[in-house]
mmCIF file of all heavy atoms in Angstrom:
data_model
loop_
_atom_site.group_PDB
_atom_site.id
_atom_site.type_symbol
_atom_site.label_atom_id
_atom_site.label_comp_id
_atom_site.label_asym_id
_atom_site.label_seq_id
_atom_site.Cartn_x
_atom_site.Cartn_y
_atom_site.Cartn_z
ATOM 1 N N TRP T 598 5.894 -91.120 -94.001
ATOM 2 C CA TRP T 598 5.003 -91.851 -94.908
ATOM 3 C C TRP T 598 4.179 -90.873 -95.758
ATOM 4 O O TRP T 598 4.088 -90.996 -96.970
ATOM 5 C CB TRP T 598 4.091 -92.752 -94.070
ATOM 6 C CG TRP T 598 3.078 -93.534 -94.835
ATOM 7 C CD1 TRP T 598 3.293 -94.619 -95.616
ATOM 8 C CD2 TRP T 598 1.660 -93.292 -94.859
ATOM 9 N NE1 TRP T 598 2.116 -95.086 -96.138
ATOM 10 C CE2 TRP T 598 1.095 -94.274 -95.685
ATOM 11 C CE3 TRP T 598 0.827 -92.338 -94.268
ATOM 12 C CZ2 TRP T 598 -0.287 -94.340 -95.939
ATOM 13 C CZ3 TRP T 598 -0.531 -92.405 -94.509
ATOM 14 C CH2 TRP T 598 -1.083 -93.393 -95.345
ATOM 15 N N ARG T 599 3.647 -89.868 -95.024
ATOM 16 C CA ARG T 599 2.885 -88.835 -95.735
ATOM 17 C C ARG T 599 3.792 -88.090 -96.716
ATOM 18 O O ARG T 599 3.398 -87.787 -97.852
ATOM 19 C CB ARG T 599 2.277 -87.841 -94.736
ATOM 20 C CG ARG T 599 1.060 -88.366 -93.993
ATOM 21 C CD ARG T 599 0.645 -87.406 -92.880
ATOM 22 N NE ARG T 599 0.582 -86.027 -93.335
ATOM 23 C CZ ARG T 599 -0.484 -85.486 -93.937
ATOM 24 N NH1 ARG T 599 -1.585 -86.195 -94.090
ATOM 25 N NH2 ARG T 599 -0.454 -84.246 -94.355
ATOM 26 N N LEU T 600 4.996 -87.801 -96.277
ATOM 27 C CA LEU T 600 5.933 -87.046 -97.106
ATOM 28 C C LEU T 600 6.242 -87.802 -98.409
ATOM 29 O O LEU T 600 6.240 -87.225 -99.500
ATOM 30 C CB LEU T 600 7.212 -86.781 -96.316
ATOM 31 C CG LEU T 600 8.322 -86.052 -97.070
ATOM 32 C CD1 LEU T 600 7.885 -84.648 -97.461
ATOM 33 C CD2 LEU T 600 9.602 -85.999 -96.224
ATOM 34 N N ARG T 601 6.476 -89.108 -98.276
ATOM 35 C CA ARG T 601 6.793 -89.906 -99.459
ATOM 36 C C ARG T 601 5.622 -89.930 -100.432
ATOM 37 O O ARG T 601 5.783 -89.762 -101.635
ATOM 38 C CB ARG T 601 7.187 -91.336 -99.042
ATOM 39 C CG ARG T 601 8.559 -91.405 -98.377
ATOM 40 C CD ARG T 601 9.037 -92.832 -98.218
ATOM 41 N NE ARG T 601 8.193 -93.627 -97.339
ATOM 42 C CZ ARG T 601 8.386 -93.752 -96.022
ATOM 43 N NH1 ARG T 601 9.401 -93.142 -95.440
ATOM 44 N NH2 ARG T 601 7.582 -94.500 -95.305
ATOM 45 N N ARG T 602 4.448 -90.102 -99.883
ATOM 46 C CA ARG T 602 3.259 -90.127 -100.731
ATOM 47 C C ARG T 602 3.080 -88.797 -101.446
ATOM 48 O O ARG T 602 2.846 -88.731 -102.650
ATOM 49 C CB ARG T 602 2.011 -90.427 -99.891
ATOM 50 C CG ARG T 602 1.984 -91.819 -99.314
ATOM 51 C CD ARG T 602 0.647 -92.070 -98.658
ATOM 52 N NE ARG T 602 -0.413 -91.855 -99.616
ATOM 53 C CZ ARG T 602 -1.265 -92.806 -100.010
ATOM 54 N NH1 ARG T 602 -1.178 -94.024 -99.510
ATOM 55 N NH2 ARG T 602 -2.200 -92.539 -100.893
ATOM 56 N N LYS T 603 3.167 -87.733 -100.644
ATOM 57 C CA LYS T 603 2.936 -86.408 -101.232
ATOM 58 C C LYS T 603 4.011 -86.082 -102.256
ATOM 59 O O LYS T 603 3.735 -85.433 -103.277
ATOM 60 C CB LYS T 603 2.902 -85.354 -100.129
ATOM 61 C CG LYS T 603 1.688 -85.502 -99.236
ATOM 62 C CD LYS T 603 1.350 -84.212 -98.553
ATOM 63 C CE LYS T 603 -0.143 -84.182 -98.276
ATOM 64 N NZ LYS T 603 -0.617 -82.833 -98.070
ATOM 65 N N SER T 604 5.227 -86.557 -101.969
ATOM 66 C CA SER T 604 6.311 -86.305 -102.922
ATOM 67 C C SER T 604 6.031 -87.027 -104.235
ATOM 68 O O SER T 604 6.235 -86.479 -105.314
ATOM 69 C CB SER T 604 7.641 -86.782 -102.328
ATOM 70 O OG SER T 604 7.926 -86.067 -101.159
ATOM 71 N N TRP T 605 5.576 -88.236 -104.120
ATOM 72 C CA TRP T 605 5.251 -88.991 -105.330
ATOM 73 C C TRP T 605 4.161 -88.273 -106.136
ATOM 74 O O TRP T 605 4.267 -88.118 -107.350
ATOM 75 C CB TRP T 605 4.817 -90.422 -104.995
ATOM 76 C CG TRP T 605 4.227 -91.116 -106.193
ATOM 77 C CD1 TRP T 605 2.917 -91.363 -106.448
ATOM 78 C CD2 TRP T 605 4.935 -91.555 -107.352
ATOM 79 N NE1 TRP T 605 2.744 -91.949 -107.653
ATOM 80 C CE2 TRP T 605 3.987 -92.082 -108.250
ATOM 81 C CE3 TRP T 605 6.296 -91.548 -107.712
ATOM 82 C CZ2 TRP T 605 4.331 -92.605 -109.499
ATOM 83 C CZ3 TRP T 605 6.633 -92.088 -108.949
ATOM 84 C CH2 TRP T 605 5.664 -92.602 -109.827
ATOM 85 N N VAL T 606 3.144 -87.857 -105.410
ATOM 86 C CA VAL T 606 2.046 -87.155 -106.089
ATOM 87 C C VAL T 606 2.577 -85.885 -106.748
ATOM 88 O O VAL T 606 2.227 -85.553 -107.893
ATOM 89 C CB VAL T 606 0.895 -86.841 -105.096
ATOM 90 C CG1 VAL T 606 -0.148 -85.943 -105.742
ATOM 91 C CG2 VAL T 606 0.263 -88.139 -104.602
ATOM 92 N N ALA T 607 3.483 -85.206 -106.054
ATOM 93 C CA ALA T 607 4.075 -83.987 -106.624
ATOM 94 C C ALA T 607 4.866 -84.324 -107.884
ATOM 95 O O ALA T 607 4.815 -83.596 -108.883
ATOM 96 C CB ALA T 607 4.979 -83.326 -105.581
ATOM 97 N N LEU T 608 5.551 -85.442 -107.815
ATOM 98 C CA LEU T 608 6.323 -85.859 -108.982
ATOM 99 C C LEU T 608 5.400 -86.141 -110.164
ATOM 100 O O LEU T 608 5.654 -85.715 -111.293
ATOM 101 C CB LEU T 608 7.154 -87.104 -108.651
ATOM 102 C CG LEU T 608 7.935 -87.697 -109.833
ATOM 103 C CD1 LEU T 608 9.006 -86.715 -110.317
ATOM 104 C CD2 LEU T 608 8.578 -89.027 -109.456
ATOM 105 N N ARG T 609 4.316 -86.854 -109.861
ATOM 106 C CA ARG T 609 3.359 -87.193 -110.920
ATOM 107 C C ARG T 609 2.788 -85.925 -111.535
ATOM 108 O O ARG T 609 2.654 -85.807 -112.760
ATOM 109 C CB ARG T 609 2.228 -88.073 -110.360
ATOM 110 C CG ARG T 609 2.553 -89.531 -110.222
ATOM 111 C CD ARG T 609 2.840 -90.197 -111.565
ATOM 112 N NE ARG T 609 1.634 -90.558 -112.293
ATOM 113 C CZ ARG T 609 1.235 -90.017 -113.442
ATOM 114 N NH1 ARG T 609 1.939 -89.056 -113.985
ATOM 115 N NH2 ARG T 609 0.144 -90.407 -114.048
ATOM 116 N N GLU T 610 2.496 -84.968 -110.695
ATOM 117 C CA GLU T 610 1.942 -83.706 -111.200
ATOM 118 C C GLU T 610 2.965 -82.996 -112.088
ATOM 119 O O GLU T 610 2.623 -82.446 -113.143
ATOM 120 C CB GLU T 610 1.529 -82.800 -110.034
ATOM 121 C CG GLU T 610 0.190 -83.201 -109.450
ATOM 122 C CD GLU T 610 -0.113 -82.496 -108.120
ATOM 123 O OE1 GLU T 610 0.723 -81.658 -107.705
ATOM 124 O OE2 GLU T 610 -1.158 -82.810 -107.543
ATOM 125 N N ARG T 611 4.194 -83.047 -111.603
ATOM 126 C CA ARG T 611 5.261 -82.374 -112.352
ATOM 127 C C ARG T 611 5.433 -83.040 -113.719
ATOM 128 O O ARG T 611 5.570 -82.361 -114.736
ATOM 129 C CB ARG T 611 6.565 -82.452 -111.537
ATOM 130 C CG ARG T 611 7.711 -81.659 -112.107
ATOM 131 C CD ARG T 611 7.446 -80.161 -112.005
ATOM 132 N NE ARG T 611 8.472 -79.405 -112.715
ATOM 133 C CZ ARG T 611 8.403 -79.094 -114.013
ATOM 134 N NH1 ARG T 611 7.365 -79.481 -114.736
ATOM 135 N NH2 ARG T 611 9.369 -78.402 -114.593
ATOM 136 N N VAL T 612 5.404 -84.372 -113.724
ATOM 137 C CA VAL T 612 5.530 -85.131 -114.967
ATOM 138 C C VAL T 612 4.347 -84.819 -115.896
ATOM 139 O O VAL T 612 4.522 -84.571 -117.089
ATOM 140 C CB VAL T 612 5.642 -86.645 -114.678
ATOM 141 C CG1 VAL T 612 5.458 -87.464 -115.951
ATOM 142 C CG2 VAL T 612 6.976 -86.954 -114.025
ATOM 143 N N ASP T 613 3.155 -84.795 -115.304
ATOM 144 C CA ASP T 613 1.957 -84.480 -116.102
ATOM 145 C C ASP T 613 2.089 -83.117 -116.765
ATOM 146 O O ASP T 613 1.685 -82.915 -117.894
ATOM 147 C CB ASP T 613 0.700 -84.495 -115.216
ATOM 148 C CG ASP T 613 0.267 -85.923 -114.889
ATOM 149 O OD1 ASP T 613 0.740 -86.851 -115.594
ATOM 150 O OD2 ASP T 613 -0.527 -86.110 -113.941
ATOM 151 N N GLU T 614 2.651 -82.226 -116.013
ATOM 152 C CA GLU T 614 2.859 -80.878 -116.537
ATOM 153 C C GLU T 614 3.792 -80.936 -117.764
ATOM 154 O O GLU T 614 3.541 -80.298 -118.797
ATOM 155 C CB GLU T 614 3.505 -80.048 -115.433
ATOM 156 C CG GLU T 614 3.238 -78.567 -115.486
ATOM 157 C CD GLU T 614 3.919 -77.908 -114.301
ATOM 158 O OE1 GLU T 614 3.431 -78.113 -113.156
ATOM 159 O OE2 GLU T 614 4.954 -77.244 -114.502
ATOM 160 N N GLU T 615 4.837 -81.741 -117.620
ATOM 161 C CA GLU T 615 5.802 -81.862 -118.719
ATOM 162 C C GLU T 615 5.188 -82.484 -119.964
ATOM 163 O O GLU T 615 5.546 -82.138 -121.082
ATOM 164 C CB GLU T 615 7.020 -82.690 -118.262
ATOM 165 C CG GLU T 615 7.955 -81.978 -117.310
ATOM 166 C CD GLU T 615 8.685 -80.796 -117.948
ATOM 167 O OE1 GLU T 615 8.807 -80.729 -119.189
ATOM 168 O OE2 GLU T 615 9.119 -79.911 -117.175
ATOM 169 N N VAL T 616 4.296 -83.448 -119.733
ATOM 170 C CA VAL T 616 3.736 -84.158 -120.908
ATOM 171 C C VAL T 616 2.437 -83.532 -121.402
ATOM 172 O O VAL T 616 1.744 -84.115 -122.224
ATOM 173 C CB VAL T 616 3.536 -85.669 -120.634
ATOM 174 C CG1 VAL T 616 4.875 -86.319 -120.323
ATOM 175 C CG2 VAL T 616 2.532 -85.908 -119.531
ATOM 176 N N MET T 617 2.117 -82.377 -120.860
ATOM 177 C CA MET T 617 0.935 -81.684 -121.372
ATOM 178 C C MET T 617 1.143 -81.453 -122.868
ATOM 179 O O MET T 617 2.264 -81.172 -123.314
ATOM 180 C CB MET T 617 0.750 -80.346 -120.659
ATOM 181 C CG MET T 617 -0.338 -80.383 -119.592
ATOM 182 S SD MET T 617 -0.197 -79.003 -118.461
ATOM 183 C CE MET T 617 -0.153 -77.641 -119.570
ATOM 184 N N GLU T 618 0.077 -81.592 -123.637
ATOM 185 C CA GLU T 618 0.112 -81.585 -125.104
ATOM 186 C C GLU T 618 1.129 -80.633 -125.734
ATOM 187 O O GLU T 618 2.074 -81.047 -126.396
ATOM 188 C CB GLU T 618 -1.270 -81.214 -125.624
ATOM 189 C CG GLU T 618 -1.693 -82.104 -126.758
ATOM 190 C CD GLU T 618 -3.150 -81.878 -127.051
ATOM 191 O OE1 GLU T 618 -4.007 -82.506 -126.381
ATOM 192 O OE2 GLU T 618 -3.408 -81.046 -127.937
ATOM 193 N N GLY T 619 0.959 -79.373 -125.486
ATOM 194 C CA GLY T 619 1.834 -78.364 -126.084
ATOM 195 C C GLY T 619 3.287 -78.569 -125.701
ATOM 196 O O GLY T 619 4.183 -78.557 -126.534
ATOM 197 N N ASN T 620 3.486 -78.804 -124.417
ATOM 198 C CA ASN T 620 4.846 -78.956 -123.899
ATOM 199 C C ASN T 620 5.566 -80.115 -124.558
ATOM 200 O O ASN T 620 6.693 -79.988 -125.037
ATOM 201 C CB ASN T 620 4.832 -79.180 -122.395
ATOM 202 C CG ASN T 620 4.425 -77.927 -121.637
ATOM 203 O OD1 ASN T 620 4.355 -76.842 -122.240
ATOM 204 N ND2 ASN T 620 4.136 -78.070 -120.366
ATOM 205 N N ILE T 621 4.907 -81.249 -124.574
ATOM 206 C CA ILE T 621 5.582 -82.461 -125.044
ATOM 207 C C ILE T 621 5.800 -82.408 -126.554
ATOM 208 O O ILE T 621 6.831 -82.839 -127.067
ATOM 209 C CB ILE T 621 4.848 -83.742 -124.580
ATOM 210 C CG1 ILE T 621 5.761 -84.978 -124.707
ATOM 211 C CG2 ILE T 621 3.558 -83.950 -125.308
ATOM 212 C CD1 ILE T 621 6.975 -84.915 -123.815
#
Side-chain angles (χ1 to χ4, degrees):
W598 178 74
R599 284 172 48 85
L600 177 64
R601 288 191 297 269
R602 293 187 56 118
K603 292 203 152 201
S604 298
W605 169 256
V606 172
L608 176 65
R609 279 297 279 113
E610 280 169 3
R611 187 68 188 88
V612 167
D613 284 344
E614 207 178 289
E615 287 293 339
V616 299
M617 258 163 53
E618 225 169 275
N620 290 349
I621 197 64

